[in-house]
């Protein structure tokens, strides 16, 4: 496994900014921890704001990490999305010239869901509702291929490094357009027995295959209850919490009754890595390093971190003990992934 990575979110935006506060000094410190303690040699930097992406990418490159520069303007139409992607590619090219051979550009993430107009539905929630019937009917195939053809053409005009696309496993991508084959691929009960099959099929393209997202949430049953993709945070209380003034009176909470299980998350990630390594992938990016809005609470009703994919748990107040300068603490999964990556790096 050549690339041992983690996804690092600098501010994905869907129902609010997933990283409300962006402090360059904190970002650099976290990237240093990712390199030194999580034992990564690559980081996929995701988010909407191009300045944030650039600041984080430059810090990671200076730390000798390989960077996957991944702009994500979710829930806009193809024209607006492509204009944003090309602007980001221009910024990435400036970094690539200073750090050659260490920057990969991703033109999009799961476009069938996140680019408006590929399947029916103006909002993300509506597209989720329409998802299965639209995909089964093949309505997504032509617009997706058109979008990706335009994206690769326009990006290659301004960016001279390798490009990729973070695909859903079923998306009919023309991988001849890309330098690296990439899929977001999560393992749960429904695909347990055939998890490696899509990876093996993609190896037939003769290009490096990388799993750009895989992960597990942090509660008992997360691997089999069907909520791995959407989580268990109550969307109503989460949305109300974001309202000015009034929102401070609303505490986001978890749907239903769940039991925290850090060991499950750790074990499943170690299993993922073993399966993918055996299948012959060039690398993986565990999703995700941190989720600042999914704060940990001793009361399970409000322990949003149970529903998080993150390797660290964020505190609403106070600081961690492992890293007293950070507002989070590593979970069991952090240490488990670090040990796997250490073994892969040393060949032990």
């Amino acid at each position: 496994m050549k690339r041992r990575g983690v996804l690092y979110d600098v501010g994905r935006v869907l129902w609010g900014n997933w990283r409300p506060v962006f402090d360059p000094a904190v970002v650099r410190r976290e990237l240093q921890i990712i390199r030194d303690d999580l034992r990564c040699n690559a980081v996929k930097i995701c988010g909407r704001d191009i300045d944030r992406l650039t600041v984080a990418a430059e810090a990671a490159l200076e730390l000798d990490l390989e960077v996957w520069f991944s702009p994500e303007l979710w829930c806009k139409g193809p024209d607006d999305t492509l204009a944003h992607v090309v602007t980001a590619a221009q910024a990435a090219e400036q970094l690539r010239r200073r750090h050659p051979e260490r920057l990969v550009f991703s033109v999009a993430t799961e476009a069938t869901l996140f680019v408006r107009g590929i399947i029916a539905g103006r909002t993300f929630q509506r597209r989720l509702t329409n998802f299965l019937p639209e995909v089964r009917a093949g309505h997504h195939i032509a617009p997706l291929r058109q979008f990706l053809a335009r994206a690769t053409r326009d990006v290659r005009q301004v960016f001279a490094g390798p490009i990729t696309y973070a695909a859903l496993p079923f998306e009919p991508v023309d991988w001849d357009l890309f330098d690296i084959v990439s899929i977001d691929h999560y393992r749960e009960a429904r695909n347990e027995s055939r998890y490696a099959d899509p990876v093996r099929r993609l190896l037939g393209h003769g290009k490096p295959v990388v799993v750009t997202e895989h992960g597990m949430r942090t509660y008992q049953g997360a691997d089999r209850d069907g909520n791995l993709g959407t989580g268990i945070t109550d969307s109503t209380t989460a949305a109300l919490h974001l309202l000015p003034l009034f929102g401070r009176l609303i505490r986001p909470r978890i749907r239903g009754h769940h039991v925290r299980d850090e060991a499950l998350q750790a074990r499943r990630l170690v299993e993922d890595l073993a399966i993918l390594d055996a299948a012959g992938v060039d690398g993986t990016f565990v999703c995700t390093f941190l989720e600042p809005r999914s704060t940990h609470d001793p009361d399970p009703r409000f322990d949003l971190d149970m529903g998080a994919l993150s390797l660290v748990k964020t505190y609403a107040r106070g600081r961690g003990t492992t890293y007293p300068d950070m507002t989070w603490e590593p979970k069991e999964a952090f240490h488990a992934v670090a040990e796997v990556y250490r073994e892969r790096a040393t060949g032990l």
Side-chain angles (χ1 to χ4, degrees), residues 120-323:
R122 182 171 179 81
T123 66
F124 179 74
Q125 195 63 44
R126 179 59 63 182
R127 289 194 296 278
L128 276 180
T129 302
N130 295 336
F131 185 73
L132 284 179
E134 289 275 312
V135 168
R136 285 170 178 164
H139 294 164
H140 66 301
I141 296 174
L144 174 66
R145 288 179 171 169
Q146 182 182 32
F147 171 80
L148 293 177
R150 289 178 60 193
T152 53
R153 180 198 65 201
D154 293 351
V155 167
R156 288 199 188 278
Q157 290 177 357
V158 299
F159 181 76
I163 66 171
T164 192
Y165 163 62
L168 291 161
F170 65 85
E171 287 181 321
V173 177
D174 178 3
W175 290 111
D176 289 341
L177 297 172
F178 297 94
D179 303 294
I180 301 172
V181 177
S182 304
I183 58 169
D184 292 352
H185 193 29
Y186 290 80
R187 182 172 63 100
E188 59 175 352
R190 290 175 292 186
N191 68 352
E192 189 89 41
S193 63
R194 59 185 188 279
Y195 179 64
D197 292 351
V199 173
R200 295 192 183 102
R201 288 194 295 269
L202 291 171
L203 290 169
H205 291 282
K207 297 182 178 184
V209 175
V210 173
V211 175
T212 33
E213 287 186 24
H214 68 101
M216 181 53 58
R217 300 188 188 273
T218 320
Y219 62 93
Q220 290 180 10
D223 55 335
R224 61 181 186 272
D225 66 1
N227 290 320
L228 184 57
T230 54
I232 56 172
T233 299
D234 178 68
S235 58
T236 300
T237 55
L240 290 173
H241 180 68
L242 295 176
L243 294 174
L245 300 178
F246 173 76
R248 290 180 295 178
L249 304 176
I250 306 296
R251 291 187 70 184
R253 60 184 301 147
I254 293 293
R255 296 194 316 268
H257 302 281
H258 299 279
V259 177
R260 185 175 184 85
D261 194 343
E262 290 193 20
L264 169 73
Q265 183 193 32
R267 182 176 69 254
R268 295 289 292 193
L269 284 174
V270 169
E271 292 170 358
D272 283 357
L273 291 167
I275 293 168
L276 295 171
D277 195 19
V281 299
D282 192 73
T284 70
F285 291 92
V286 174
C287 183
T288 180
F289 184 71
L290 81 167
E291 297 184 38
R293 284 171 52 185
S294 296
T295 51
H296 170 61
D297 194 284
D299 187 334
R301 296 174 300 169
F302 304 107
D303 186 9
L304 304 185
D305 180 71
M306 275 201 294
L309 294 160
S310 57
L311 298 180
V312 305
K313 58 185 177 186
T314 299
Y315 295 124
R317 292 171 294 277
R319 296 186 176 273
T321 55
T322 304
Y323 304 101

